[in-house]
Amino acid sequence: MERSGPSEATGSDASGPDPQLAVTMGFTGFGKKARTFDLEAMFEQTRRTAVERSRKTLEAREKEEEMSREKELRQSEDIEPTSSRSNVVRDCSKSSSRDTSSSESEESSDSSDDELIGPPLPPKMVGKPVNFMDEDILGALPPPLNEEEEAEEEEEEEEEENPVHKIPDSHEITLKHGTKTVSALGLDPSGARLVTGGYDYDVKFWDFAGMDASFKAFRSLQPCECHQIKSLQYSNTGDMILVVSGSSQAKVIDRDGFEVMECIKGDQYIVDMANTKGHTAMLHTGSWHPKIKGEFMTCSNDATVRTWEVENPKKQKSVFKPRTMQGKKVIPTTCTYSRDGNLIAAACQNGSIQIWDRNLTLRLSNGTVCMLWAHTEVCVM
C-alpha cells in the first residue's frame, strides 16, 4: 500500500494539468502542444491560387476581344451590301439620265437617290471617291509663287513705310552707355568725339578714331556727383564742354574730362534773384555763345536766365528774368543764342518765347525787354 502512493501521483500528473494551478494563474491550457505551420506549403498554395486567377482573367480578356472582333466583322458585312446597292442605284440613275431628257433625268435622280446634288459625275468618276484636287475636275493649278520674289516685295514695302531707311547712311554702330536713360549728347565740331550723359550720373567720352571693335568709351566720370545730367555741349573750338545737371551749379570741363570751372551757387534767401551771384534752384539747360569764346548761359527753376564767363566763375555776367504779361515770374525750360549772338531767347512754362538783347543790362528802369509770345504777339515793356 505504501508503494502505490508514488504511482498514483505520477498517474495524476500524466492525466492532465493541475486545476489549482489554472485557478492561481488565471488562464488554462497548460501542458498542450503548440501548433506547427509549414511555411513552404503555404507559399506554394498561395502561388498556385495566384497563377490560376491570372489564367482565368487572361481567358476572360481573350473572350471579350474575340466578341468585339466578331461584332466589327458583322458591322462591316452589313455596310458592304448597302454600299454596293447604292453604287448600283447610281449607275442606273446615270444611264437613265443619259437616255432620257433633262427634266426626266432630274425627276429620276431625285426619286432614286436623295443624297446626289448637282450635275451627274462623269463616267470615269462613277463608283469612285471624288478627289477635288484632281486636274480633270478643277484644271491645272497655278504655279507657286517664288519665295525670293515675295521676300523682295515685302522688303520694298517695309522700306517705303519706314522713314529710317531713307537716311543716307553707309555705316552704323551701337554704343552702350549704360542701363539707365541717356539724357544728353554732345558732338565736337570736328565730329571725332562724342560725349554722353544719363540718369546714372555718368559722363562718357567716345573717340571714333581710337575706337576698337568693342566700341567702349575711353573715359567715364561723374562730374556732378549724384545729379542727373541734363545737357552736354561742346564749345565752338571743341576744347571745352558745358555740363548742366540737376544741381544749381553748371560745370565746364575740357575735352579730356578735367574740370575747368564751376559756377557759384546763389543765396536762396534773397528775394530778388538779380542780387544773387548764381542760380538757387535746379538747372534745365545751357548754351555756348556762337561768337565769343568762353561765354555761355544757363536757365534754372529760379525763373532766371544767366550768362557766364569761364574766366570769372564767382559771379554771373548778367541776369534776365522772364515775366508774364501780368508781371509774374515764369520758369524758363530752355534757352539759346541767336546766330549772331546778339539776342537771347528762352522758352517758358506758360507757352511764351521771350527774347532779350544781350547787350542790355538789367539795371535799367523797366528794362527794354521784348517778349515774343507763342501766338506771335509782340509787345514792348
Side-chain angles (χ1 to χ4, degrees):
M1 295 297 290
E2 295 178 356
R3 292 180 181 177
S4 62
S7 63
E8 292 176 358
T10 56
S12 62
D13 293 338
S15 62
D18 188 3
Q20 189 67 28
L21 180 62
V23 174
T24 305
M25 297 298 293
F27 57 89
T28 60
F30 294 99
K32 292 183 179 180
K33 293 183 179 180
R35 186 179 178 183
T36 58
F37 298 94
D38 190 358
L39 295 178
E40 293 182 356
M42 294 174 67
F43 287 144
E44 183 65 21
Q45 184 65 25
T46 306
R47 186 184 65 80
R48 289 177 182 176
T49 54
V51 170
E52 187 176 356
R53 287 181 181 178
S54 62
R55 182 175 57 79
K56 290 180 180 180
T57 54
L58 290 174
E59 290 177 356
R61 289 180 183 176
E62 289 177 357
K63 289 180 180 180
E64 291 178 357
E65 290 178 356
E66 289 178 359
M67 294 291 290
S68 62
R69 288 174 184 174
E70 290 178 357
K71 289 181 181 179
E72 290 177 356
L73 290 173
R74 290 176 183 175
Q75 292 176 358
S76 62
E77 289 175 356
D78 294 338
I79 293 170
E80 285 179 358
T82 56
S83 62
S84 62
R85 290 176 185 175
S86 63
N87 291 332
V88 171
V89 172
R90 289 180 184 176
D91 294 339
C92 294
S93 63
K94 297 299 179 285
S95 61
S96 62
S97 64
R98 286 195 297 269
D99 297 336
T100 60
S101 61
S102 61
S103 62
E104 293 176 355
S105 65
E106 289 177 359
E107 292 176 358
S108 63
S109 63
D110 292 336
S111 62
S112 62
D113 194 355
D114 295 336
E115 295 181 357
L116 294 176
I117 300 174
L121 295 173
K124 295 180 181 180
M125 302 303 296
V126 174
K128 296 180 181 180
V130 179
N131 184 9
F132 291 99
M133 296 304 292
D134 196 350
E135 294 183 358
D136 295 336
I137 299 174
L138 299 178
L141 295 174
L145 295 176
N146 192 356
E147 295 180 357
E148 295 180 355
E149 294 178 358
E150 292 181 355
E152 290 177 358
E153 292 178 358
E154 291 178 357
E155 289 178 358
E156 290 178 357
E157 292 178 356
E158 290 179 357
E159 289 178 357
E160 292 177 357
E161 295 177 356
N162 193 355
V164 177
H165 295 294
K166 297 180 180 180
I167 299 175
D169 58 342
S170 59
H171 297 79
E172 179 181 353
I173 61 172
T174 301
L175 303 178
K176 184 69 174 177
H177 173 86
T179 58
K180 294 187 178 180
T181 303
V182 179
S183 56
L185 288 173
L187 187 66
D188 72 338
S190 63
R193 285 191 177 184
L194 177 71
V195 61
T196 59
Y199 284 3
D200 55 359
Y201 320 132
D202 290 338
V203 174
K204 294 188 177 182
F205 294 81
W206 313 81
D207 188 3
F208 297 116
M211 189 178 294
D212 56 5
S214 62
F215 301 124
K216 292 183 179 180
F218 73 90
R219 183 159 297 168
S220 177
L221 52 93
Q222 293 183 353
C224 302
E225 296 179 353
C226 58
H227 295 284
Q228 297 176 354
I229 307 301
K230 295 292 190 69
S231 174
L232 295 170
Q233 187 178 10
Y234 274 91
S235 63
N236 294 330
T237 56
D239 57 345
M240 292 183 292
I241 302 171
L242 175 61
V243 181
V244 178
S245 65
S247 67
S248 61
Q249 298 173 271
K251 285 188 178 182
V252 177
I253 58 177
D254 60 7
R255 60 184 292 107
D256 293 326
F258 298 101
E259 183 176 331
V260 176
M261 63 90 69
E262 182 180 14
C263 298
I264 193 172
K265 184 177 181 180
D267 190 353
Q268 58 184 352
Y269 297 104
I270 297 177
V271 177
D272 188 1
M273 289 292 102
N275 295 326
T276 61
K277 297 180 180 181
H279 288 293
T280 60
M282 178 185 69
L283 299 175
H284 285 291
T285 188
S287 178
W288 289 98
H289 193 281
K291 301 292 184 180
I292 301 174
K293 181 181 179 181
E295 181 178 333
F296 62 93
M297 68 174 172
T298 55
C299 62
S300 170
N301 261 4
D302 61 3
T304 62
V305 177
R306 301 174 189 264
T307 60
W308 305 81
E309 290 180 344
V310 176
E311 292 79 9
N312 186 16
K314 299 299 181 182
K315 187 178 181 181
Q316 75 272 348
K317 184 178 180 182
S318 58
V319 181
F320 300 91
K321 297 189 292 183
R323 291 290 186 269
T324 63
M325 292 294 294
Q326 292 78 22
K328 296 181 180 180
K329 292 181 180 180
V330 61
I331 296 175
T333 56
T334 186
C335 58
T336 185
Y337 284 96
S338 63
R339 186 171 297 178
D340 57 2
N342 293 327
L343 299 177
I344 292 175
C348 303
Q349 284 185 346
N350 65 344
S352 65
I353 300 174
Q354 304 187 19
I355 304 173
W356 301 272
D357 189 343
R358 169 183 163 276
N359 297 319
L360 297 177
T361 61
L362 192 67
R363 297 295 181 181
L364 295 177
S365 60
N366 295 330
T368 55
V369 179
C370 176
M371 301 179 69
L372 180 62
W373 297 89
H375 56 277
T376 66
E377 178 182 351
V378 180
C379 60
V380 178
M381 297 177 63

